[in-house]
């Protein structure tokens, strides 16, 4: 079967724990994989080089800035962003193949549901699922919002919603869960300052 005319961009920083499994999951199906690295100090780049992937590097400012810099470097017309600690369901890869081969010209974006696992378990309705993410879009049309955190892709055309999910499995223990939330609260505070919003737990939803 021919490869999907798709560039997958994987933003990474010290992602050796997850990266190889993700690469193995998608490498036989997609035309191009770009590793967008924020100058990792572990074995992340060694893993990427062992698969002869395209590697680009930029100092990290925020997620949106990093991705917007990487997107124009894709060789394919359609781009998929996957975080290094996510894995696409097998059915999602097939769904993306069917989508790209039949997509109409007025559609620029496909939202993908995300299953967030907690200690390896999917919590169903107790989790944010379907937690739709704007990850699959036309390279020439999509751009992330200028936000410090939780930026979504904006496009001029229509969007559709896919059925199958990205699986996010990063919460392995209490320490990793706490560290991640502490980091994201800082990003949210930075966004509040930028928008001149008084920070509170309720204000988080004001700019999402």
């Amino acid at each position: 079967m021919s490869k999907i005319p798709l560039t997958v961009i994987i933003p990474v920083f010290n992602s050796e724990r997850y990266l190889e499994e993700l690469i193995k999951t998608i490498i036989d199906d997609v035309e191009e994989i770009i590793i967008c690295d924020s100058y990792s100090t572990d074995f992340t780049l060694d893993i990427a080089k062992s698969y002869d992937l395209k590697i680009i590097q930029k100092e990290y400012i925020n997620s949106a800035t990093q991705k917007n810099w990487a997107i124009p470097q894709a060789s394919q017309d359609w781009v998929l962003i996957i975080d290094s600690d996510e894995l696409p369901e097998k059915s999602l890869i097939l769904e993306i193949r069917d989508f790209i081969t039949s997509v109409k010209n007025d559609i620029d974006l496909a939202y993908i549901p995300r299953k967030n696992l907690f200690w390896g378990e999917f919590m169903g309705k107790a989790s944010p699922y379907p937690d739709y993410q704007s990850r699959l879009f036309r390279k020439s049309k999509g751009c992330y919002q200028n936000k410090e955190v939780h930026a979504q892709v904006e496009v001029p055309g229509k969007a559709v919603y896919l059925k199958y999910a990205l699986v996010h499995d990063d919460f392995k223990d209490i320490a990793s869960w706490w560290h991640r939330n502490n980091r994201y609260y800082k990003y949210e505070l930075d966004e509040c300052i930028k928008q001149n919003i008084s920070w509170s737990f309720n204000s988080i939803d004001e700019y999402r």
Side-chain angles (χ1 to χ4, degrees), residues 120-132:
E121 297 291 334
F122 177 49
M123 304 300 289
K125 292 183 178 180
S127 73
Y129 184 79
D131 190 25
Y132 284 110

Side-chain angles (χ1 to χ4, degrees), residues 64-75:
T65 299
Q66 199 80 353
K67 293 170 183 175
N68 283 337
W69 173 77
I71 290 165
Q73 303 186 56
S75 66

Side-chain angles (χ1 to χ4, degrees), residues 19-201:
L19 183 59
E20 188 159 25
E21 185 178 4
L22 172 55
I23 292 171
K24 288 180 177 179
T25 301
I26 63 175
I27 194 168
D28 292 333
D29 292 291
V30 302
E31 191 64 42
E32 181 181 46
I33 299 174
I34 297 179
I35 303 298
C36 181
D37 178 60
S38 304
Y39 294 98
S40 294
T41 57
D42 64 358
F43 289 104
T44 295
L45 293 186
D46 297 274
I47 294 169
K49 289 175 182 176
S50 72
Y51 289 91
D52 195 28
L53 302 181
K54 181 176 180 179
I55 298 170
I56 57 177
Q57 290 184 293
K58 185 181 186 300
E59 290 287 352
Y60 187 86
I61 298 173
N62 59 44
S63 177
T65 299
Q66 199 80 353
K67 293 170 183 175
N68 283 337
W69 173 77
I71 290 165
Q73 303 186 56
S75 66
Q76 303 298 302
D77 292 336
W78 280 87
V79 170
L80 172 63
I81 307 288
I82 306 182
D83 289 341
S84 60
D85 57 0
E86 297 172 334
L87 287 174
E89 294 179 324
K90 294 291 186 182
S91 295
L92 175 60
I93 296 174
L94 295 174
E95 186 178 22
I96 289 173
R97 179 185 294 277
D98 291 342
F99 169 78
I100 289 179
T101 56
S102 62
V103 63
K104 296 180 180 179
N105 291 333
D106 61 345
I107 295 175
D108 293 335
L109 169 68
Y111 285 97
I112 299 175
R114 182 170 63 176
K115 293 180 179 178
N116 296 286
L117 306 189
F118 293 86
W119 291 274
E121 297 291 334
F122 177 49
M123 304 300 289
K125 292 183 178 180
S127 73
Y129 184 79
D131 190 25
Y132 284 110
Q133 303 291 309
S134 53
R135 299 293 191 86
L136 179 61
F137 53 90
R138 295 186 192 272
K139 179 183 73 172
S140 61
K141 303 291 187 179
C143 184
Y144 276 87
Q145 300 163 322
N146 180 23
K147 295 174 65 173
E148 296 299 317
V149 65
H150 302 309
Q152 294 285 345
V153 173
E154 295 181 326
V155 296
K158 296 178 182 179
V160 298
Y161 290 80
L162 301 187
K163 177 180 179 180
Y164 295 102
L166 290 169
V167 179
H168 178 226
D169 188 12
D170 186 35
F171 303 119
K172 303 294 186 181
D173 50 50
I174 291 290
S176 64
W177 180 86
W178 183 260
H179 178 74
R180 181 183 184 277
N181 279 277
N182 189 53
R183 178 161 50 90
Y184 271 78
Y185 279 132
K186 178 186 181 301
Y187 296 153
E188 289 163 349
L189 176 59
D190 290 342
E191 182 66 20
C192 284
I193 292 171
K194 187 165 71 175
Q195 294 195 30
N196 196 28
I197 297 172
S198 297
W199 191 93
S200 70
F201 284 102

